[in-house]
Amino acid sequence: MSEHSNNNVQKNDFIRNIIRDDVNAQKYQQIVTRFPPEPNGYLHLGHVKSICLNFGIAEEFGGICNLRFDDTNPTAEKQDYIDNIENDVKWLGFEWAGEARHASGYFDQLYAWALQLIEQGDAYVDLQSPEQIKENRGSFNEVGTPSPQRDASVAENLALFNDMKDGKFAEGEAVLRAKIDMASPNMNMRDPVIYRVMHQAHHQTGEKWCIYPMYDFAHPLSDAIEGITHSICTLEFEDHRPFYDWAVEKIGFDLPPHQYEFSRLNVDYTMTSKRKLKQLVDEGVVSGWDDPRMPTIAGMRRRGYTPEGLRDFCERVGVTKVDSVVDFRLLEFSIRQSLETTTARGMAVLKPLKVTITNFDEAVSSWESQKADSVNARWDEDAQTLWLKQPKHPNVDMGEREIPFTETLYIDQGDYEIEPPAGYKRLSPEKPEIRLRNTYVLAVTEHITDAAGNVTELKATIDPATLGKNPEGRKVKGVIHWVSASLGVPATVRMYEQLFSAEDPSSVSDVHQALNPNSLTELAAVVEPSLANADAGTRFQFEREGYFIADSEEHTSDKPVFNQIVSLRDSYKPAS
Ligand code: ATP
Ligand code: MG
């Protein structure tokens, strides 16, 4: 079973069932899959599904999975994308077999095979303009019109293809086409273009070529070169499969690869298209490919999503041939689950309201005689601070942290209401008492308001007999979090909503109309020192607030920056 599998239940999707049959029939020596991104952007959530499927299958069946860059279109591609794609796959927890491969690494072989097709009478150079070629392809109701070059001799085609290669044609003046069937009901079989002229340097092969193979031609043959047994892709390639089979058949392989299609991952309020995500980056709508709101792997990583959570999500989504849209809350559910037992706790006040404890001296000076046995603390006389030692996690051993308790504190503005709504369980003039997490019971004695009537500060007392103990003779309901005003650290906390307000952002013609104006809110928060002192990239649960990560780029102990990963809970429950 896969080391990444969260449970030991055998996965029974239709692709794994096919492979299981092939394994049982000993059809192949080894299962070989591949993940074949085009390096024309950063990977996104949809690719995570494809990665988990291809690498997961290789692991489960004792096979291997290649990483191959299908880099047949140099205009849109660059090395930066290649580097980031490699980084993303590794971060998700997968290892490809050997070196990463490139379709461009096979250009010599693909060229030789193009010559073979010409010699076999299976390909010809077409000198029609791109418009004529399109026009003459016909339509669903109308068969195509053969090109005037369709029956040219092998010698003539070889000469013209050589001229293409030697740069004697401008882009669009000549293409190499497979000679299949201009009347095929499948438009992809009406003599598809397999090589085109492109006077463009390539990020891997430099100036060597001015003709490049089309993706549909390079893909099956690259699979064949690598001995891929199961070429797994998304459903939009189903109509391309006949050409895939045609290409490997015409070149002639003993054990040709086979293509299997599954439905793409679609998630509501999310966009999974490199091209459209690139537009957001290029226009500065987001801060970059790794903006924490982006559904790119880089964005999700910076947001604090975990590889375990993403893999769990893909397992829950499963693999089918049915197009569907997945509820984004399932993704959040998986992420949240992966954080529950892996993140230290801490207190952060996101919207600070100052509280002055008017009996601090008297109350805290007696702390030693009054504390419960369970309380671990030390008094710092110089700093007038009671340092409370608390475990970082209530039931996983992650060590301890020290929380400073001082005369002035912050609590959250939302935890005090002059006129509380019905059912409100926190502080109000009618219910002035509450427990401060990890320390005393506090009683508000006075609130101070500004001219507009907003509460700007509270005065309060603490009950000295309640350090780690319930008060005697009365019940105090509710617990709130707090941070020392003098020793807490001001922090920027970024709260996120979905980047898009449209359920299906791809269906909105102008992507700007689909954006959620509230996708990012920056708060001036205050956090306890253990949070500020954490390394960039550390994830936490902020008590009562949610899961957060110290931003990998901007966080420092002096100027902490946290990104909200996901809220603490949601009523959403995945179907089991
Ligand atoms: P995009 O349109 O975003 O560029 P793509 O399909 O063109 O996506 P590729 O780089 O060619 O991107 O894709 C690499 C692999 O990832 C392909 O096998 C493709 O089928 C798969 N893939 C892409 N998008 C999804 C998705 N939404 N769900 C599942 N697999 C996907
Ligand atoms: Mg693409």
Side-chain angles (χ1 to χ4, degrees):
M1 208 62 213
S2 155
E3 66 177 271
H4 290 132
S5 186
N6 292 345
N7 49 54
N8 286 321
V9 179
Q10 176 172 293
K11 286 173 232 146
N12 272 319
D13 57 73
F14 76 99
I15 293 183
R16 286 178 169 89
N17 288 342
I18 291 169
I19 295 179
R20 206 166 281 124
D21 288 347
D22 289 346
V23 169
N24 291 338
Q26 300 186 319
K27 196 162 164 188
Y28 307 101
Q29 279 191 333
Q30 186 182 35
I31 299 302
V32 187
T33 58
R34 85 288 171 267
F35 173 63
E38 187 188 350
N40 61 351
Y42 281 51
L43 298 181
H44 52 62
L45 189 52
H47 295 114
V48 176
K49 177 171 178 177
S50 178
I51 292 169
C52 288
L53 183 60
N54 280 294
F55 285 93
I57 282 175
E59 260 176 29
E60 282 157 52
F61 293 96
I64 56 171
C65 180
N66 291 348
L67 172 63
R68 181 176 72 240
F69 295 102
D70 270 339
D71 52 354
T72 54
N73 182 12
T75 46
E77 300 164 357
K78 50 181 187 181
Q79 186 62 39
D80 174 58
Y81 295 144
I82 293 180
D83 297 341
N84 279 287
I85 289 171
E86 292 189 356
N87 188 28
D88 288 347
V89 173
K90 283 188 214 153
W91 177 77
L92 274 177
F94 296 107
E95 248 178 74
W96 52 90
E99 296 286 308
R101 292 140 212 266
H102 298 80
S104 56
Y106 310 137
F107 280 173
D108 287 327
Q109 179 65 74
L110 295 172
Y111 178 74
W113 281 335
L115 293 177
Q116 178 187 331
L117 290 181
I118 294 173
E119 279 158 6
Q120 288 171 192
D122 288 322
Y124 61 95
V125 172
D126 195 349
L127 302 175
Q128 296 181 100
S129 69
E131 296 73 33
Q132 284 170 321
I133 290 178
K134 192 160 179 252
E135 177 80 31
N136 288 336
R137 271 178 93 211
S139 65
F140 188 67
N141 301 312
E142 195 192 355
V143 300
T145 309
S147 159
Q149 271 86 32
R150 196 168 196 268
D151 293 315
S153 68
V154 168
E156 193 181 334
N157 281 317
L158 286 174
L160 285 171
F161 191 47
N162 198 49
D163 287 347
M164 279 174 66
K165 181 176 100 115
D166 287 346
K168 295 192 183 146
F169 289 106
E171 291 180 20
E173 280 182 355
V175 290
L176 185 69
R177 298 179 72 175
K179 189 172 173 180
I180 308 177
D181 180 4
M182 288 303 288
S184 171
N186 182 340
M187 299 297 280
N188 296 309
M189 297 298 272
R190 292 191 186 176
D191 292 11
V193 173
I194 58 178
Y195 256 95
R196 62 188 154 165
V197 173
M198 214 182 217
H199 292 282
Q200 166 85 41
H202 188 284
H203 48 98
Q204 302 300 311
T205 57
E207 303 282 346
K208 179 167 177 188
W209 298 93
C210 64
I211 55 171
Y212 292 99
M214 299 299 288
Y215 175 88
D216 273 356
F217 181 65
H219 190 75
L221 299 178
S222 301
D223 281 349
I225 290 171
E226 295 179 9
I228 303 300
T229 55
H230 299 79
S231 177
I232 302 165
C233 63
T234 35
L235 274 177
E236 69 269 23
F237 291 102
E238 200 166 22
D239 290 346
H240 298 239
R241 178 157 29 98
F243 180 69
Y244 185 106
D245 291 340
W246 182 93
V248 294
E249 203 253 329
K250 287 292 174 186
I251 300 303
F253 296 95
D254 291 342
L255 211 53
H258 284 284
Q259 176 179 304
Y260 302 90
E261 308 90 12
F262 67 100
S263 56
R264 303 174 65 82
L265 174 63
N266 300 305
V267 178
D268 58 4
Y269 300 97
T270 305
M271 207 157 65
T272 45
S273 153
K274 276 186 247 141
R275 186 176 54 78
K276 291 180 184 161
L277 293 172
K278 184 169 187 294
Q279 187 191 344
L280 300 178
V281 175
D282 291 346
E283 290 181 6
V285 171
V286 292
S287 63
W289 284 101
D290 70 345
D291 186 304
R293 293 167 295 178
M294 287 281 272
T296 49
I297 298 180
M300 294 188 291
R301 176 168 57 236
R302 188 152 175 200
R303 174 76 177 264
Y305 284 16
T306 57
E308 297 76 17
L310 287 168
R311 294 196 305 255
D312 176 71
F313 168 68
C314 290
E315 276 191 32
R316 287 173 189 277
V317 168
V319 182
T320 70
K321 267 181 142 16
V322 183
D323 267 318
S324 65
V325 180
V326 176
D327 193 320
F328 76 90
R329 291 173 304 173
L330 177 62
L331 173 60
E332 296 196 336
F333 175 89
S334 290
I335 299 300
R336 192 179 291 119
Q337 273 217 325
S338 72
L339 296 168
E340 165 64 26
T341 57
T342 56
T343 52
R345 305 304 198 247
M347 295 194 287
V349 173
L350 303 188
K351 293 181 181 163
L353 171 63
K354 190 173 164 190
V355 182
T356 304
I357 300 170
T358 51
N359 66 338
F360 186 82
D361 282 353
E362 164 215 342
V364 177
S365 62
S366 65
W367 75 278
E368 190 99 51
S369 59
Q370 303 257 19
K371 71 168 178 169
D373 290 345
S374 59
V375 174
N376 190 357
R378 72 181 163 90
W379 173 247
D380 179 345
E381 178 66 31
D382 292 342
Q384 291 288 297
T385 300
L386 182 63
W387 288 91
L388 301 149
K389 285 204 179 97
Q390 286 291 333
K392 289 186 178 169
H393 192 283
N395 37 46
V396 179
D397 184 10
M398 297 184 181
E400 286 190 324
R401 69 194 209 261
E402 281 200 313
I403 311 166
F405 181 68
T406 53
E407 186 168 16
T408 54
L409 309 175
Y410 289 118
I411 66 168
D412 199 88
Q413 288 165 20
D415 286 337
Y416 186 85
E417 293 286 347
I418 299 180
E419 287 170 27
Y424 187 77
K425 296 206 174 61
R426 292 157 278 165
L427 291 165
S428 67
E430 279 69 50
K431 184 194 172 296
E433 261 197 315
I434 206 154
R435 175 168 291 283
L436 296 177
R437 167 83 77 204
N438 301 315
T439 178
Y440 297 91
V441 166
L442 172 110
V444 176
T445 52
E446 184 190 350
H447 63 241
I448 297 163
T449 53
D450 63 13
N454 300 311
V455 178
T456 54
E457 189 183 341
L458 300 176
K459 306 270 188 212
T461 55
I462 51 171
D463 178 345
T466 57
L467 185 57
K469 283 188 282 200
N470 284 327
E472 277 174 28
R474 65 193 196 284
K475 261 208 142 86
V476 174
K477 282 197 189 148
V479 182
I480 60 171
H481 63 286
W482 54 274
V483 170
S484 160
S486 48
L487 293 173
V489 185
T492 299
V493 173
R494 299 177 181 142
M495 304 297 288
Y496 297 108
E497 288 179 17
Q498 295 295 120
L499 180 55
F500 300 102
S501 54
E503 196 170 327
D504 178 7
S506 296
S507 70
V508 180
S509 56
D510 175 5
V511 70
H512 303 96
Q513 301 296 318
L515 291 166
N516 173 6
N518 302 319
S519 59
L520 168 64
T521 308
E522 283 205 352
L523 298 176
V526 184
V527 302
E528 63 167 270
S530 70
L531 302 181
N533 292 333
D535 292 338
T538 310
R539 299 179 182 88
F540 289 99
Q541 185 190 108
F542 289 1
E543 300 208 35
R544 297 179 66 228
E545 294 292 0
Y547 293 99
F548 291 80
I549 186 170
D551 187 73
S552 56
E553 302 293 319
E554 293 167 47
H555 173 87
T556 62
S557 297
D558 296 337
K559 285 204 160 109
V561 179
F562 288 94
N563 303 327
Q564 180 193 34
I565 307 172
V566 66
S567 62
L568 265 191
R569 53 184 85 77
D570 188 318
S571 53
Y572 179 79
K573 288 259 181 327
S576 54

